[in-house]
Amino acid sequence: MNNEILVGKSTQRTAQKQNPCVQGTSPQNVTVILPAFNEEVSIGSVVLLTRYYADSVIVVDDGSSDRTAEIARKAGAEVIVHEVNKGKGAALKTGFAAADDLGADIIVTMDSDGQHNPAEIPKLIEPIIKGEADMVNGSRYLNGLDKNTPAYRRVGQTILDEVTNLNSGLHITDSQSGFRAFSASTKDIFRFKAQGMAIESEMLADAGKSGLRIAEVEIGVRYDVDCSTEHPIKHGFGVLLMILKDIEFNKPLYYLTVPGAALGIGGIIMGALFLREFVIGKNLYFGPTILMVLFIIVGSFMALTGILLHSISAILRDSRIN
């Protein structure tokens, strides 16, 4: 693995042992992972605040060209550096492995730009401590979408939530939240393959497939510190495309059989209408007739392919269980 540990553990652990807030929160080891890319402006304050609510703070500097790693180290974080930018999924994978090495019982993920409030960590991890959940999702929209959010963002968020829930089999109100808590026992179920912010939806799909108990708690978010360089519409389409690809492999009945059946049925209805017109003496037009045939052929192919892939997936799942 092409990473470099930049800071030792003794200084931070000594500081945390003297921190009554962390001890009062839970007897378990709470480790926070902060994926970071060019976050020198915010990373120092985020680490300092987070250390008050955690036993360890891991910053994964994902190929930054600024002083993110240096400032995080001086603030007392465990710092791991990716020499090149690998994406948030790879950064989280590195962070989860490091948290396991530190003996974490609970792993918390947060954004490093200051959007999330570290003071909400105790609330986030509470369902895990009580044994009520394996994973907790911090939700900005537990009580509905904020009406002050621009309309295109509300529409985009709703679409991503619905498609993510379809793929994962869950009912999550904020599928794109980066503020989450995990029991350390869940660390091996995640693929960490998605690029960019699509990792949030991928982790929910993995959690749903593995049958994790998932809870949601309401969190606040500061949007005045949002420094994302990617346009929200471009980001939304990228995440949606990833989810649809995931559905194609994990739920082919939804992705192929359902739309294929709709096309095939549409073609059959068109054929029935054309046949009725032909019987009463009207002419059949070449264009619509070819379209009808295409609908039936393509729809039937998609439906049968989806059924075949679903059967193969079921056989593979059974073989893994046995």
Side-chain angles (χ1 to χ4, degrees):
M1 191 164 70
N2 197 20
N3 301 322
E4 180 183 1
I5 303 289
L6 298 181
V7 65
K9 304 168 185 169
S10 59
T11 302
Q12 183 178 347
R13 287 186 173 175
T14 299
Q16 294 299 335
K17 287 178 181 178
Q18 299 172 350
N19 190 334
C21 184
V22 173
Q23 291 181 340
T25 301
S26 168
Q28 303 185 58
N29 182 299
V30 178
T31 297
V32 176
I33 300 171
L34 295 169
F37 177 66
N38 291 336
E39 298 287 2
E40 65 175 10
V41 173
S42 60
I43 195 64
S45 59
V46 172
V47 169
L48 288 171
L49 289 170
T50 302
R51 288 181 63 199
Y52 191 70
Y53 299 97
D55 298 285
S56 302
V57 179
I58 299 171
V59 172
V60 182
D61 181 3
D62 192 32
S64 297
S65 58
D66 62 5
R67 298 184 301 155
T68 294
E70 176 188 350
I71 294 173
R73 172 176 54 83
K74 289 182 178 179
E78 308 277 352
V79 179
I80 305 174
V81 174
H82 288 173
E83 294 182 3
V84 297
N85 182 262
K86 298 180 179 181
K88 189 175 181 181
L92 287 175
K93 182 177 182 179
T94 297
F96 269 64
D100 185 47
D101 291 340
L102 292 177
D105 298 304
I106 298 175
I107 299 171
V108 176
T109 61
M110 288 177 52
D111 291 345
S112 55
D113 57 7
Q115 286 194 62
H116 300 139
N117 182 4
E120 293 185 312
I121 291 176
K123 177 173 64 173
L124 193 72
I125 66 177
E126 185 177 357
I128 297 177
I129 294 173
K130 290 182 175 179
E132 299 171 350
D134 305 306
M135 173 180 171
V136 181
N137 189 61
S139 175
R140 298 163 286 181
Y141 312 120
L142 198 57
N143 295 313
L145 293 176
D146 186 354
K147 300 303 181 182
N148 295 322
T149 305
Y152 72 92
R153 282 184 176 269
R154 294 202 302 270
V155 172
Q157 181 68 41
T158 300
I159 293 173
L160 293 179
D161 288 345
E162 292 299 325
V163 178
T164 297
N165 288 334
L166 173 64
N167 188 33
S168 64
L170 303 173
H171 181 68
I172 299 296
T173 61
D174 189 358
S175 64
Q176 304 307 300
S177 173
F179 195 12
R180 292 171 174 169
F182 307 82
S183 170
S185 62
T186 68
K187 63 182 178 59
D188 294 326
I189 74 166
F190 301 109
R191 290 170 287 169
F192 299 114
K193 296 295 185 183
Q195 299 295 317
M197 299 299 108
I199 185 62
E200 320 297 0
S201 291
E202 181 192 271
M203 293 182 79
L204 288 173
D206 293 340
K209 187 186 300 184
S210 299
L212 295 187
R213 296 173 301 158
I214 302 176
E216 284 196 301
V217 300
E218 188 172 11
I219 61 169
V221 174
R222 291 182 56 189
Y223 290 106
D224 58 316
V225 296
D226 185 3
C227 300
S228 175
T229 57
E230 189 172 5
H231 193 279
I233 295 180
K234 181 181 178 182
H235 158 68
F237 275 114
V239 174
L240 180 60
L241 181 61
M242 187 284 300
I243 299 172
L244 291 177
K245 287 181 178 178
D246 213 27
I247 293 176
E248 180 181 5
F249 289 104
N250 294 327
K251 296 191 175 182
L253 290 180
Y254 286 106
Y255 197 84
L256 295 172
T257 302
V258 171
L263 277 178
I265 293 171
I268 292 172
I269 293 173
M270 290 174 64
L273 294 175
F274 293 163
L275 181 61
R276 186 185 66 177
E277 292 186 355
F278 180 76
V279 168
I280 63 176
K282 293 186 178 180
N283 294 327
L284 293 180
Y285 295 98
F286 179 77
T289 303
I290 292 298
L291 186 62
M292 172 200 71
V293 174
L294 284 176
F295 277 5
I296 294 175
I297 293 175
V298 173
S300 300
F301 177 78
M302 289 177 62
L304 292 174
T305 301
I307 293 171
L308 179 62
L309 289 176
H310 176 74
S311 300
I312 293 173
S313 298
I315 293 172
L316 290 175
R317 283 195 300 269
D318 291 340
S319 64
R320 288 172 185 169
I321 293 174
N322 298 328

